[in-house]
Amino acid sequence: MKASIINSNSENEKLIRKLYSVAESQDANAFVELFTDDGHFLGCLCRN
């Protein structure tokens, strides 16, 4: 896929960047809160 096709401000990219940010902060509780009890990614990162 060409980079020009990917919207750099897409919601998916924002979600992934937030996920990585939380993971890199090594805040295990915040990271776990991004997923349901059975391991599905919530996709809504409403926390700041």
Side-chain angles (χ1 to χ4, degrees):
M1 183 178 288
K2 292 184 179 180
S4 60
I5 295 174
I6 299 171
N7 180 355
S8 64
N9 295 319
S10 73
E11 289 302 311
N12 285 339
E13 182 178 349
K14 290 176 186 176
L15 290 171
I16 297 303
R17 288 184 182 277
K18 179 64 177 177
L19 179 71
Y20 273 98
S21 173
V22 172
E24 289 174 348
S25 73
Q26 298 183 3
D27 182 346
N29 290 330
F31 188 79
V32 169
E33 289 177 6
L34 301 176
F35 298 87
T36 63
D37 290 339
D38 59 354
H40 289 91
F41 179 57
L42 291 173
C44 176
L45 303 176
C46 302
R47 300 179 47 163
N48 291 331

Short mmCIF file of all heavy atoms in Angstrom, two decimals:
data_model
loop_
_atom_site.label_atom_id
_atom_site.label_comp_id
_atom_site.label_asym_id
_atom_site.label_seq_id
_atom_site.Cartn_x
_atom_site.Cartn_y
_atom_site.Cartn_z
N MET A 1 0.85 -1.17 0.00
CA MET A 1 0.00 0.00 0.00
C MET A 1 0.89 1.24 0.00
O MET A 1 1.83 1.34 0.78
CB MET A 1 -0.91 -0.02 1.22
CG MET A 1 -1.88 1.13 1.26
SD MET A 1 -3.01 1.08 2.68
CE MET A 1 -4.06 -0.26 2.17
N LYS A 2 0.59 2.15 -0.87
CA LYS A 2 1.38 3.38 -0.95
C LYS A 2 1.09 4.27 0.25
O LYS A 2 -0.03 4.38 0.71
CB LYS A 2 1.04 4.13 -2.22
CG LYS A 2 1.49 3.43 -3.48
CD LYS A 2 1.20 4.29 -4.68
CE LYS A 2 1.67 3.60 -5.93
NZ LYS A 2 1.40 4.42 -7.11
N ALA A 3 2.12 4.91 0.73
CA ALA A 3 1.97 5.79 1.89
C ALA A 3 1.01 6.93 1.59
O ALA A 3 0.33 7.42 2.49
CB ALA A 3 3.32 6.34 2.32
N SER A 4 0.93 7.35 0.34
CA SER A 4 0.05 8.47 0.00
C SER A 4 -1.42 8.10 0.15
O SER A 4 -2.27 8.97 0.27
CB SER A 4 0.32 8.94 -1.43
OG SER A 4 0.08 7.89 -2.35
N ILE A 5 -1.72 6.80 0.15
CA ILE A 5 -3.11 6.36 0.28
C ILE A 5 -3.56 6.43 1.73
O ILE A 5 -4.72 6.66 2.02
CB ILE A 5 -3.26 4.92 -0.25
CG1 ILE A 5 -2.99 4.89 -1.74
CG2 ILE A 5 -4.63 4.36 0.07
CD1 ILE A 5 -2.96 3.50 -2.34
N ILE A 6 -2.62 6.26 2.65
CA ILE A 6 -2.95 6.22 4.07
C ILE A 6 -3.10 7.65 4.59
O ILE A 6 -2.21 8.47 4.44
CB ILE A 6 -1.86 5.48 4.85
CG1 ILE A 6 -1.76 4.05 4.34
CG2 ILE A 6 -2.17 5.50 6.34
CD1 ILE A 6 -0.58 3.31 4.90
N ASN A 7 -4.23 7.92 5.20
CA ASN A 7 -4.47 9.23 5.80
C ASN A 7 -3.73 9.29 7.12
O ASN A 7 -4.04 8.57 8.05
CB ASN A 7 -5.98 9.43 6.01
CG ASN A 7 -6.30 10.76 6.63
OD1 ASN A 7 -5.42 11.52 7.01
ND2 ASN A 7 -7.58 11.06 6.74
N SER A 8 -2.77 10.17 7.24
CA SER A 8 -1.94 10.24 8.45
C SER A 8 -2.74 10.67 9.68
O SER A 8 -2.26 10.52 10.79
CB SER A 8 -0.76 11.18 8.23
OG SER A 8 -1.23 12.50 8.01
N ASN A 9 -3.91 11.19 9.49
CA ASN A 9 -4.73 11.62 10.61
C ASN A 9 -5.93 10.70 10.82
O ASN A 9 -6.90 11.09 11.45
CB ASN A 9 -5.22 13.06 10.39
CG ASN A 9 -4.08 14.04 10.38
OD1 ASN A 9 -3.17 13.94 11.18
ND2 ASN A 9 -4.11 14.98 9.47
N SER A 10 -5.86 9.48 10.29
CA SER A 10 -6.99 8.58 10.39
C SER A 10 -7.25 8.20 11.85
O SER A 10 -6.36 8.23 12.70
CB SER A 10 -6.77 7.32 9.57
OG SER A 10 -5.81 6.49 10.20
N GLU A 11 -8.47 7.82 12.15
CA GLU A 11 -8.83 7.40 13.50
C GLU A 11 -8.05 6.15 13.89
O GLU A 11 -7.65 6.01 15.04
CB GLU A 11 -10.34 7.16 13.60
CG GLU A 11 -11.16 8.43 13.55
CD GLU A 11 -10.79 9.42 14.65
OE1 GLU A 11 -10.70 9.01 15.83
OE2 GLU A 11 -10.56 10.60 14.32
N ASN A 12 -7.84 5.24 12.94
CA ASN A 12 -7.07 4.03 13.25
C ASN A 12 -5.66 4.38 13.70
O ASN A 12 -5.16 3.82 14.67
CB ASN A 12 -7.00 3.10 12.03
CG ASN A 12 -8.29 2.39 11.78
OD1 ASN A 12 -9.12 2.26 12.66
ND2 ASN A 12 -8.46 1.93 10.56
N GLU A 13 -5.03 5.31 12.99
CA GLU A 13 -3.67 5.69 13.37
C GLU A 13 -3.66 6.34 14.75
O GLU A 13 -2.77 6.08 15.56
CB GLU A 13 -3.06 6.64 12.35
CG GLU A 13 -1.64 7.00 12.70
CD GLU A 13 -0.96 7.90 11.68
OE1 GLU A 13 -1.51 8.10 10.59
OE2 GLU A 13 0.12 8.40 12.01
N LYS A 14 -4.63 7.17 15.03
CA LYS A 14 -4.71 7.81 16.35
C LYS A 14 -4.85 6.77 17.45
O LYS A 14 -4.21 6.87 18.51
CB LYS A 14 -5.88 8.79 16.40
CG LYS A 14 -5.66 10.02 15.55
CD LYS A 14 -6.90 10.90 15.57
CE LYS A 14 -6.77 12.06 14.62
NZ LYS A 14 -8.00 12.87 14.56
N LEU A 15 -5.69 5.76 17.21
CA LEU A 15 -5.88 4.70 18.20
C LEU A 15 -4.59 3.92 18.44
O LEU A 15 -4.22 3.66 19.58
CB LEU A 15 -6.98 3.73 17.74
CG LEU A 15 -8.40 4.28 17.76
CD1 LEU A 15 -9.34 3.30 17.08
CD2 LEU A 15 -8.84 4.55 19.17
N ILE A 16 -3.90 3.57 17.36
CA ILE A 16 -2.67 2.81 17.49
C ILE A 16 -1.59 3.64 18.19
O ILE A 16 -0.86 3.14 19.05
CB ILE A 16 -2.18 2.32 16.12
CG1 ILE A 16 -3.20 1.35 15.52
CG2 ILE A 16 -0.79 1.68 16.22
CD1 ILE A 16 -3.52 0.15 16.37
N ARG A 17 -1.50 4.92 17.84
CA ARG A 17 -0.51 5.78 18.51
C ARG A 17 -0.79 5.89 20.00
O ARG A 17 0.12 5.88 20.83
CB ARG A 17 -0.46 7.15 17.86
CG ARG A 17 0.18 7.13 16.48
CD ARG A 17 0.31 8.54 15.91
NE ARG A 17 0.87 8.51 14.59
CZ ARG A 17 2.19 8.44 14.33
NH1 ARG A 17 3.05 8.41 15.32
NH2 ARG A 17 2.62 8.41 13.09
N LYS A 18 -2.06 5.99 20.38
CA LYS A 18 -2.44 6.06 21.80
C LYS A 18 -2.11 4.74 22.49
O LYS A 18 -1.58 4.73 23.60
CB LYS A 18 -3.93 6.38 21.93
CG LYS A 18 -4.42 6.45 23.35
CD LYS A 18 -3.78 7.58 24.14
CE LYS A 18 -4.37 7.64 25.54
NZ LYS A 18 -3.73 8.67 26.34
N LEU A 19 -2.40 3.62 21.81
CA LEU A 19 -2.10 2.30 22.37
C LEU A 19 -0.60 2.18 22.65
O LEU A 19 -0.20 1.76 23.74
CB LEU A 19 -2.56 1.21 21.40
CG LEU A 19 -2.29 -0.22 21.82
CD1 LEU A 19 -3.20 -0.61 22.97
CD2 LEU A 19 -2.51 -1.16 20.64
N TYR A 20 0.22 2.56 21.68
CA TYR A 20 1.67 2.51 21.86
C TYR A 20 2.12 3.46 22.97
O TYR A 20 3.00 3.13 23.76
CB TYR A 20 2.41 2.86 20.57
CG TYR A 20 2.63 1.68 19.68
CD1 TYR A 20 1.78 1.41 18.61
CD2 TYR A 20 3.70 0.81 19.88
CE1 TYR A 20 1.98 0.32 17.79
CE2 TYR A 20 3.91 -0.28 19.06
CZ TYR A 20 3.05 -0.52 18.02
OH TYR A 20 3.25 -1.59 17.21
N SER A 21 1.52 4.62 23.05
CA SER A 21 1.88 5.59 24.07
C SER A 21 1.63 5.03 25.47
O SER A 21 2.47 5.15 26.36
CB SER A 21 1.08 6.88 23.86
OG SER A 21 1.29 7.77 24.92
N VAL A 22 0.47 4.41 25.64
CA VAL A 22 0.15 3.82 26.94
C VAL A 22 1.11 2.67 27.25
O VAL A 22 1.61 2.55 28.37
CB VAL A 22 -1.32 3.34 26.98
CG1 VAL A 22 -1.61 2.54 28.25
CG2 VAL A 22 -2.27 4.53 26.89
N ALA A 23 1.39 1.84 26.25
CA ALA A 23 2.32 0.71 26.45
C ALA A 23 3.72 1.21 26.82
O ALA A 23 4.35 0.66 27.72
CB ALA A 23 2.37 -0.15 25.20
N GLU A 24 4.18 2.25 26.14
CA GLU A 24 5.52 2.76 26.40
C GLU A 24 5.64 3.43 27.76
O GLU A 24 6.72 3.49 28.34
CB GLU A 24 5.94 3.73 25.29
CG GLU A 24 6.22 3.01 23.98
CD GLU A 24 6.50 3.96 22.83
OE1 GLU A 24 6.26 5.18 22.97
OE2 GLU A 24 6.95 3.47 21.78
N SER A 25 4.54 3.92 28.28
CA SER A 25 4.57 4.54 29.61
C SER A 25 4.70 3.49 30.71
O SER A 25 4.93 3.82 31.86
CB SER A 25 3.31 5.38 29.85
OG SER A 25 2.18 4.54 30.05
N GLN A 26 4.56 2.22 30.31
CA GLN A 26 4.66 1.08 31.21
C GLN A 26 3.66 1.16 32.35
O GLN A 26 3.93 0.73 33.47
CB GLN A 26 6.09 0.92 31.72
CG GLN A 26 7.06 0.63 30.60
CD GLN A 26 8.47 0.38 31.07
OE1 GLN A 26 8.75 0.36 32.26
NE2 GLN A 26 9.37 0.20 30.14
N ASP A 27 2.49 1.71 32.04
CA ASP A 27 1.39 1.76 33.00
C ASP A 27 0.49 0.55 32.71
O ASP A 27 -0.39 0.59 31.85
CB ASP A 27 0.61 3.06 32.83
CG ASP A 27 -0.53 3.21 33.82
OD1 ASP A 27 -0.91 2.22 34.47
OD2 ASP A 27 -1.06 4.34 33.93
N ALA A 28 0.78 -0.54 33.39
CA ALA A 28 0.09 -1.81 33.11
C ALA A 28 -1.41 -1.69 33.29
O ALA A 28 -2.19 -2.23 32.49
CB ALA A 28 0.65 -2.92 33.99
N ASN A 29 -1.85 -0.98 34.32
CA ASN A 29 -3.29 -0.85 34.56
C ASN A 29 -3.98 -0.09 33.42
O ASN A 29 -5.05 -0.49 32.97
CB ASN A 29 -3.56 -0.15 35.89
CG ASN A 29 -3.21 -1.02 37.07
OD1 ASN A 29 -3.29 -2.24 37.01
ND2 ASN A 29 -2.80 -0.39 38.16
N ALA A 30 -3.38 0.98 32.96
CA ALA A 30 -3.96 1.75 31.86
C ALA A 30 -3.99 0.91 30.59
O ALA A 30 -4.96 0.96 29.83
CB ALA A 30 -3.17 3.03 31.63
N PHE A 31 -2.94 0.12 30.35
CA PHE A 31 -2.89 -0.72 29.16
C PHE A 31 -3.97 -1.79 29.21
O PHE A 31 -4.69 -2.00 28.24
CB PHE A 31 -1.51 -1.36 29.02
CG PHE A 31 -1.32 -2.10 27.73
CD1 PHE A 31 -1.04 -1.41 26.57
CD2 PHE A 31 -1.43 -3.48 27.68
CE1 PHE A 31 -0.88 -2.08 25.36
CE2 PHE A 31 -1.26 -4.16 26.49
CZ PHE A 31 -0.99 -3.46 25.32
N VAL A 32 -4.13 -2.42 30.35
CA VAL A 32 -5.15 -3.47 30.50
C VAL A 32 -6.55 -2.89 30.30
O VAL A 32 -7.43 -3.55 29.74
CB VAL A 32 -5.01 -4.15 31.88
CG1 VAL A 32 -6.21 -5.04 32.19
CG2 VAL A 32 -3.72 -4.96 31.94
N GLU A 33 -6.76 -1.66 30.73
CA GLU A 33 -8.07 -1.02 30.57
C GLU A 33 -8.46 -0.80 29.12
O GLU A 33 -9.62 -0.54 28.81
CB GLU A 33 -8.10 0.31 31.32
CG GLU A 33 -8.11 0.16 32.82
CD GLU A 33 -8.07 1.49 33.54
OE1 GLU A 33 -8.16 2.55 32.88
OE2 GLU A 33 -7.95 1.48 34.77
N LEU A 34 -7.51 -0.91 28.19
CA LEU A 34 -7.79 -0.73 26.77
C LEU A 34 -8.43 -1.97 26.15
O LEU A 34 -8.80 -1.95 24.98
CB LEU A 34 -6.51 -0.38 26.01
CG LEU A 34 -5.80 0.89 26.46
CD1 LEU A 34 -4.49 1.05 25.69
CD2 LEU A 34 -6.68 2.10 26.27
N PHE A 35 -8.56 -3.04 26.94
CA PHE A 35 -9.06 -4.31 26.44
C PHE A 35 -10.20 -4.81 27.31
O PHE A 35 -10.27 -4.51 28.49
CB PHE A 35 -7.94 -5.35 26.43
CG PHE A 35 -6.79 -4.99 25.53
CD1 PHE A 35 -5.75 -4.20 26.00
CD2 PHE A 35 -6.76 -5.40 24.22
CE1 PHE A 35 -4.69 -3.85 25.16
CE2 PHE A 35 -5.72 -5.05 23.38
CZ PHE A 35 -4.69 -4.28 23.86
N THR A 36 -11.08 -5.61 26.69
CA THR A 36 -12.15 -6.26 27.45
C THR A 36 -11.55 -7.39 28.27
O THR A 36 -10.40 -7.77 28.08
CB THR A 36 -13.23 -6.83 26.51
OG1 THR A 36 -12.64 -7.84 25.69
CG2 THR A 36 -13.86 -5.74 25.66
N ASP A 37 -12.35 -7.96 29.16
CA ASP A 37 -11.87 -9.06 30.00
C ASP A 37 -11.41 -10.27 29.18
O ASP A 37 -10.53 -11.01 29.60
CB ASP A 37 -12.94 -9.49 30.99
CG ASP A 37 -13.20 -8.45 32.07
OD1 ASP A 37 -12.31 -7.60 32.30
OD2 ASP A 37 -14.28 -8.48 32.68
N ASP A 38 -12.03 -10.47 28.01
CA ASP A 38 -11.63 -11.61 27.19
C ASP A 38 -10.59 -11.25 26.13
O ASP A 38 -10.31 -12.03 25.23
CB ASP A 38 -12.83 -12.30 26.57
CG ASP A 38 -13.67 -11.40 25.69
OD1 ASP A 38 -13.39 -10.19 25.64
OD2 ASP A 38 -14.61 -11.90 25.05
N GLY A 39 -9.99 -10.05 26.24
CA GLY A 39 -8.84 -9.71 25.41
C GLY A 39 -9.11 -8.93 24.14
O GLY A 39 -8.19 -8.68 23.38
N HIS A 40 -10.34 -8.52 23.91
CA HIS A 40 -10.63 -7.74 22.71
C HIS A 40 -10.29 -6.28 22.93
O HIS A 40 -10.59 -5.71 23.98
CB HIS A 40 -12.11 -7.86 22.33
CG HIS A 40 -12.46 -9.20 21.80
ND1 HIS A 40 -12.89 -10.23 22.61
CD2 HIS A 40 -12.43 -9.69 20.54
CE1 HIS A 40 -13.11 -11.29 21.87
NE2 HIS A 40 -12.83 -11.00 20.61
N PHE A 41 -9.67 -5.67 21.93
CA PHE A 41 -9.31 -4.26 21.99
C PHE A 41 -10.58 -3.42 21.96
O PHE A 41 -11.45 -3.63 21.11
CB PHE A 41 -8.40 -3.92 20.80
CG PHE A 41 -7.99 -2.48 20.73
CD1 PHE A 41 -7.33 -1.88 21.79
CD2 PHE A 41 -8.24 -1.75 19.59
CE1 PHE A 41 -6.94 -0.55 21.71
CE2 PHE A 41 -7.84 -0.42 19.51
CZ PHE A 41 -7.19 0.17 20.57
N LEU A 42 -10.71 -2.49 22.87
CA LEU A 42 -11.92 -1.67 22.95
C LEU A 42 -12.05 -0.71 21.78
O LEU A 42 -13.16 -0.41 21.35
CB LEU A 42 -11.95 -0.89 24.27
CG LEU A 42 -12.15 -1.74 25.51
CD1 LEU A 42 -12.00 -0.89 26.75
CD2 LEU A 42 -13.52 -2.40 25.49
N GLY A 43 -10.95 -0.19 21.29
CA GLY A 43 -11.01 0.71 20.13
C GLY A 43 -11.45 2.12 20.47
O GLY A 43 -11.38 3.00 19.63
N CYS A 44 -11.88 2.36 21.67
CA CYS A 44 -12.26 3.71 22.09
C CYS A 44 -11.31 4.12 23.20
O CYS A 44 -11.36 3.60 24.29
CB CYS A 44 -13.69 3.74 22.62
SG CYS A 44 -14.13 5.37 23.26
N LEU A 45 -10.44 5.02 22.86
CA LEU A 45 -9.46 5.48 23.84
C LEU A 45 -9.88 6.84 24.35
O LEU A 45 -9.29 7.86 24.03
CB LEU A 45 -8.06 5.51 23.20
CG LEU A 45 -7.62 4.17 22.64
CD1 LEU A 45 -6.28 4.33 21.93
CD2 LEU A 45 -7.53 3.13 23.71
N CYS A 46 -10.91 6.84 25.13
CA CYS A 46 -11.50 8.09 25.60
C CYS A 46 -10.73 8.70 26.75
O CYS A 46 -10.94 9.85 27.08
CB CYS A 46 -12.95 7.83 26.00
SG CYS A 46 -13.94 7.15 24.65
N ARG A 47 -9.83 7.94 27.35
CA ARG A 47 -9.01 8.47 28.44
C ARG A 47 -7.99 9.44 27.90
O ARG A 47 -7.50 9.28 26.82
CB ARG A 47 -8.23 7.36 29.14
CG ARG A 47 -8.99 6.30 29.76
CD ARG A 47 -8.02 5.32 30.34
NE ARG A 47 -7.01 6.07 31.09
CZ ARG A 47 -6.22 5.53 31.99
NH1 ARG A 47 -6.28 4.28 32.22
NH2 ARG A 47 -5.34 6.28 32.62
N ASN A 48 -7.63 10.40 28.67
CA ASN A 48 -6.55 11.34 28.28
C ASN A 48 -5.34 11.09 29.11
O ASN A 48 -5.33 10.63 30.15
CB ASN A 48 -7.01 12.78 28.43
CG ASN A 48 -8.07 13.12 27.40
OD1 ASN A 48 -8.09 12.55 26.31
ND2 ASN A 48 -8.93 14.03 27.74
#
